[in-house]
Amino acid sequence: MENIIDIRGLNKSFGDIRAVKDLSFGVKEGELFAFLGVNGAGKSTTINILCGILKKDGGKVIIDGDDIDRNPSEIKRKLGVVFQDSVLDGALSVYDNLACRAALYGISKRDFQERLEKLADLLELGDLLKRTVSKLSGGQRRRIDVARALLHKPKILILDEPTTGLDPQTRKNLWKVIEDLREKDGVTVFLTTHYMEEAGDADSVVILDSGTIVAMGTPLALKNRYTGDYIALYGADENAVKTLGVKYETMRGTYRLFVPDTSFVTRLIVEHPEVFRDYEVIKGGMDDVFLAATGKKLVEGGEK
């Protein structure tokens, strides 16, 4: 697959603050791409440049073969954006919000009705179209935000913290819709999120810190590079744990043993079967990757 987004040497400063510094990465067509970083890492600046909201200071941005400096209008038609904060007009009905958006893209009334019918089925909007946006729940608004972004059939869907504040079931339903779009329409998804399980499902990941890429690759490659396995050991005596000769920590009566890889775990269990009577082997996750790469924890609303 070729890159549908190609960024080379991207730079942007605000006065003395360099928001992004020589960013270079690519996003392949049809993939789920996760773009991670704490607040102020440069994510929003990069997205705003992609969307044509901000002018870059230097570098190249190519989207689906078009240079953003030469064909910004054409690029905007290829992008659908779901911003972290809803941009819907709360005083209007859902239908009127979507109709206004369609008019901005020059979509005919007939085409709008056909597209709306498909989106209403996909996102289960039927009973919401006549309702005023201000009276909708957060999850319902999110579905309308997605519908708004998809009206003009974009090739790339940019999702900026799309599931923030949503309950688990609504998050699950929204991701089902996104996966259907990728599978059936080949939509490329550019995602920012603080939910590391969402990033763990991505095809590729870029992690930013202070405007610079500090880690890049598939989730599996990043886990292998930045984290090891660990063993959760239950009901063991601490003196016995100490004889294993590995680093460990105590967590609510459970011992967490840090080990480099699965083969080491196997040898440990074979050599000390009397200790490993109740345990589980757990691979490091994207939370561990992010912490190792940046020294920070990614949490809702900021960092720790």
Side-chain angles (χ1 to χ4, degrees):
M1 295 184 293
E2 295 187 0
N3 288 341
I4 193 169
I5 299 176
D6 208 0
I7 294 177
R8 294 288 174 262
L10 182 64
N11 284 283
K12 179 64 180 180
S13 296
F14 298 97
D16 295 332
I17 300 173
R18 293 189 66 190
V20 293
K21 309 169 187 176
D22 298 317
L23 293 192
S24 295
F25 63 89
V27 179
K28 297 199 176 298
E29 186 170 4
E31 78 172 353
L32 171 59
F33 175 86
F35 196 51
L36 309 179
V38 298
N39 292 343
K43 305 189 307 298
S44 295
T45 298
T46 303
I47 288 174
N48 286 338
I49 291 172
L50 292 179
C51 297
I53 297 172
L54 283 177
K55 291 286 187 181
K56 58 185 174 59
D57 294 337
K60 278 277 189 182
V61 176
I62 308 295
I63 297 179
D64 195 30
D66 286 314
D67 189 315
I68 200 168
D69 290 329
R70 298 176 182 174
N71 299 302
S73 298
E74 185 63 28
I75 286 176
K76 287 180 182 179
R77 297 192 66 86
K78 297 177 181 181
L79 302 178
V81 187
V82 178
F83 295 99
Q84 183 174 353
D85 297 320
S86 179
V87 293
L88 300 172
D89 189 329
L92 298 180
S93 69
V94 170
Y95 181 90
D96 288 341
N97 265 278
L98 297 178
C100 289
R101 186 63 178 177
L104 288 175
Y105 278 100
I107 300 173
S108 69
K109 187 173 182 180
R110 178 179 177 180
D111 288 344
F112 168 63
Q113 292 297 336
E114 290 180 357
R115 184 62 173 160
L116 182 60
E117 184 177 338
K118 292 181 180 179
L119 291 173
D121 181 60
L122 179 68
L123 293 160
E124 300 179 355
L125 305 180
D127 60 337
L128 301 178
L129 293 176
K130 295 181 180 179
R131 293 180 60 182
T132 303
V133 166
S134 62
K135 296 180 180 179
L136 300 181
S137 68
Q140 290 169 334
R141 286 195 188 199
R142 224 38 174 166
R143 281 188 276 156
I144 310 307
D145 283 323
V146 173
R148 177 184 179 277
L150 294 172
L151 274 174
H152 60 297
K153 300 181 181 180
K155 298 184 70 171
I156 301 167
L157 182 61
I158 297 177
L159 302 173
D160 189 7
E161 303 280 2
T163 58
T164 296
L166 301 185
D167 63 86
Q169 186 59 49
T170 303
R171 285 175 59 200
K172 181 179 178 181
N173 292 343
L174 182 57
W175 273 108
K176 176 64 168 59
V177 169
I178 294 168
E179 287 306 311
D180 284 347
L181 288 168
R182 293 183 61 217
E183 181 179 340
K184 296 176 182 177
D185 298 335
V187 174
T188 303
V189 177
F190 188 109
L191 169 74
T192 76
T193 182
H194 65 264
Y195 293 116
M196 289 296 97
E197 66 270 25
E198 294 179 349
D201 291 332
D203 297 298
S204 59
V205 177
V206 162
I207 299 176
L208 290 185
D209 190 26
S210 301
T212 301
I213 294 176
V214 294
M216 179 166 52
T218 66
L220 179 58
L222 291 174
K223 289 175 186 178
N224 288 338
R225 178 179 177 183
Y226 287 97
T227 73
D229 298 342
Y230 66 89
I231 307 170
L233 188 58
Y234 309 106
D237 179 76
E238 186 165 7
N239 290 326
V241 174
K242 289 179 179 179
T243 65
L244 299 175
V246 300
K247 181 183 177 182
Y248 71 91
E249 65 182 10
T250 304
M251 300 177 63
R252 297 181 296 277
T254 299
Y255 297 101
R256 190 182 189 191
L257 283 60
F258 298 94
V259 292
D261 52 45
T262 305
S263 61
F264 183 90
V265 173
T266 302
R267 292 197 304 273
L268 205 60
I269 294 171
V270 169
E271 293 172 3
H272 303 275
E274 72 284 356
V275 179
F276 294 92
R277 295 178 180 177
D278 189 7
Y279 67 92
E280 58 181 324
V281 180
I282 304 171
K283 296 193 75 66
M286 288 302 297
D287 285 296
D288 302 302
V289 170
F290 192 91
L291 180 60
T294 67
K296 304 163 187 172
K297 289 185 178 180
L298 190 57
V299 296
E300 186 170 354
E303 65 181 271
K304 281 188 177 181

